């Protein structure tokens, strides 16, 4: 697919130095102004009124767009934080992350991965064998951008997730982000839980088995959280990884299988 006539539309809202919300789409010219309106409403609907909303419209010109199938989605309704983290660790190790690296990531997300012990503005990059941090800036990290669902895939994934009772827009957006990440050169796996104190669910994703949602990777009310991208250091080039994740437009044109299981290991391995 060529990007001619397509636009990257992005929104970020902040209160002082605090980031409140962000969203993005890839749409044709005719939808740009409607999406800007939706983003404005989304930015304004948060509990805190932003004092800055930045809306960006960027023509994608001749850039070739990558089309991808969504990762298969598996919901694992496990009980309690300890059980969810244990399952996340098993999934990460099944994807090729060492126990030491998985534990390094849990510690970082638990205590705040930035040098100040707070959330980062993007994701950590971690060596999947040693757990060594590889992102050049530990407060900023790396931020995935320029991805979206096609209309058809968006309808289908929304229906599928609704069928599982997962109606929060975050699930669909996180699945899109994880799908883009799963195609990054050198990626092994991803771990995420939100820094939003009201959102306790998180996920592990890998190119091999897809996206695994776990309902309680942290306790309600806690602000810690973040993302870790685990990479294979033998086939990793920071420039190519960063250029792909930040600049390469990716549209997900096919929704994947969505299912639920109480036995994650049987479903995955
Ligand atoms: N947390 C904290 N600060 C953020 C931020 C975040 N998630 N996203 C943006 N900012 C702030 C930072 O100060 C950033 O400066 P920096 O590059 O020095 O960190 C500044 O805004 C500009 O960010 P930039 O990414 O250049 O802005 P943008 O307008 O091009 O895109 C987003 C903003 C939020 C749309 C994009 O960064 C993003 O995260 N896209 C994915 C959105 C999504 O679908 N998320 C769902 C995941 S579950
Ligand atoms: P969220 O799921 O939006 O609550 O984000 C959880 C964490 O993921 C944040 O604390 C950031 O560290 C990181 N993050 C947010 N947006 C991005 C992004 N676009 N790309 C990579 N990491 C992100």
């Amino acid at each position: 697919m060529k990007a001619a006539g397509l636009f990257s539309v992005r929104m970020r809202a902040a209160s002082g130095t605090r980031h409140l919300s962000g969203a993005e789409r890839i749409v044709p010219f005719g939808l740009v102004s409607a999406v800007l309106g939706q983003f404005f409403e989304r930015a304004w609907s948060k509990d805190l009124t932003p004092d800055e909303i930045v809306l960006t419209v960027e023509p994608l010109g001749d850039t070739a767009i990558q089309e991808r199938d969504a990762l298969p989605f598996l919901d694992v309704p496990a009980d309690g934080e300890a059980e969810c983290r244990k399952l996340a660790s098993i999934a990460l190790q099944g994807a090729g992350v060492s126990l030491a690296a998985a534990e390094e990531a849990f510690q970082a997300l638990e205590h705040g991965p930035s040098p100040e012990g707070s959330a980062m503005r993007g994701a950590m990059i971690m060596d999947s064998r040693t757990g060594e941090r590889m992102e050049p800036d530990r407060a900023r990290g790396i931020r995935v951008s320029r991805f979206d669902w096609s209309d058809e895939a968006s309808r289908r994934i929304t229906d599928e997730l609704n069928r599982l009772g997962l109606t929060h827009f975050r699930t669909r957006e996180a699945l899109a982000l994880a799908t883009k990440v799963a195609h990054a050169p050198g990626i092994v796996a991803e771990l995420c839980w939100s820094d939003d104190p009201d959102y306790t669910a998180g996920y592990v994703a890998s190119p091999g088995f897809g996206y695994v949602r776990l309902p309680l990777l942290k306790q309600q009310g806690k602000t810690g959280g973040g993302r870790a991208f685990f990479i294979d250091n033998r086939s990793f080039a920071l420039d190519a990884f960063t250029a792909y994740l930040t600049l390469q437009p990716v549209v997900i044109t096919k929704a994947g299988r969505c299912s639920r299981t109480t036995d994650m290991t049987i479903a995955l391995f």
Side-chain angles (χ1 to χ4, degrees):
M1 192 199 281
K2 278 280 189 189
L6 290 177
F7 292 76
S8 165
V9 184
R10 305 191 293 276
M11 177 278 288
R12 61 189 166 87
S15 175
T17 55
R18 186 170 159 219
H19 176 77
L20 296 181
S21 69
E24 61 179 270
R25 299 284 319 271
I26 294 175
V27 291
F29 179 82
L31 285 182
V32 168
S33 94
V35 168
L36 286 171
Q38 289 158 11
F39 280 178
F40 179 74
E41 280 177 24
R42 181 158 159 181
W44 208 256
S45 69
K46 293 290 276 188
D47 299 340
L48 278 171
T49 308
D51 55 28
E52 183 186 44
I53 299 173
V54 178
L55 295 163
T56 302
V57 179
E58 178 189 89
L60 291 175
D62 286 336
T63 324
I65 302 236
Q66 288 185 8
E67 295 184 34
R68 296 292 182 193
D69 294 356
L71 293 176
F73 178 95
L74 182 69
D75 184 40
V76 182
D79 276 338
E81 183 192 273
E83 178 65 8
C84 286
R85 287 202 190 173
K86 188 174 120 200
L87 291 170
S89 179
I90 291 169
L92 286 170
Q93 289 173 72
V97 176
S98 72
L99 174 61
E103 288 187 344
E104 200 64 49
F106 287 130
Q107 286 301 315
L109 297 199
E110 174 72 23
H111 298 295
S114 82
E116 292 77 37
S118 53
M120 291 168 69
R121 307 200 297 283
M124 299 183 280
I125 304 174
M126 268 196 175
D127 184 317
S128 58
R129 282 180 306 136
T130 64
E132 185 194 343
R133 300 268 294 264
M134 303 185 67
E135 69 278 10
D137 178 337
R138 289 190 180 194
R140 180 182 193 276
I142 178 167
R143 230 172 13 253
V144 187
S145 185
R146 295 165 180 79
F147 60 93
D148 197 0
W149 297 92
S150 69
D151 287 348
E152 172 62 14
S154 175
R155 269 192 295 276
R156 288 189 85 102
I157 200 67
T158 304
D159 287 349
E160 285 287 303
L161 293 172
N162 284 351
R163 189 173 54 78
L164 295 176
L166 300 170
T167 53
H168 204 297
F169 65 84
R170 273 174 181 278
T171 316
R172 194 181 59 234
E173 292 181 353
L175 176 58
L177 187 149
T179 297
K180 179 168 182 183
V181 171
H183 291 91
I187 192 76
V188 170
E190 178 185 356
L191 168 71
C192 170
W193 69 79
S194 178
D195 52 290
D196 180 338
D198 292 326
Y199 197 77
T200 63
Y203 64 88
V204 171
S206 90
F209 57 66
Y211 185 108
V212 177
R213 177 185 186 271
L214 292 155
L216 195 73
L217 278 170
K218 69 165 194 193
Q219 298 298 337
Q220 178 85 18
K222 287 185 93 175
T223 50
R227 276 190 162 83
F229 298 153
F230 297 94
I231 55 88
D232 181 345
N233 206 1
R234 293 164 302 186
S235 59
F236 179 71
L238 181 63
D239 287 354
F241 189 76
T242 306
Y244 168 79
L245 286 179
T246 57
L247 295 176
Q248 171 63 55
V250 170
V251 173
I252 303 165
T253 50
K254 198 160 166 233
R257 184 165 35 87
C258 294
S259 54
R260 173 171 285 145
T261 184
T262 49
D263 194 331
M264 185 195 79
T265 38
I266 287 190
L268 293 191
F269 311 118

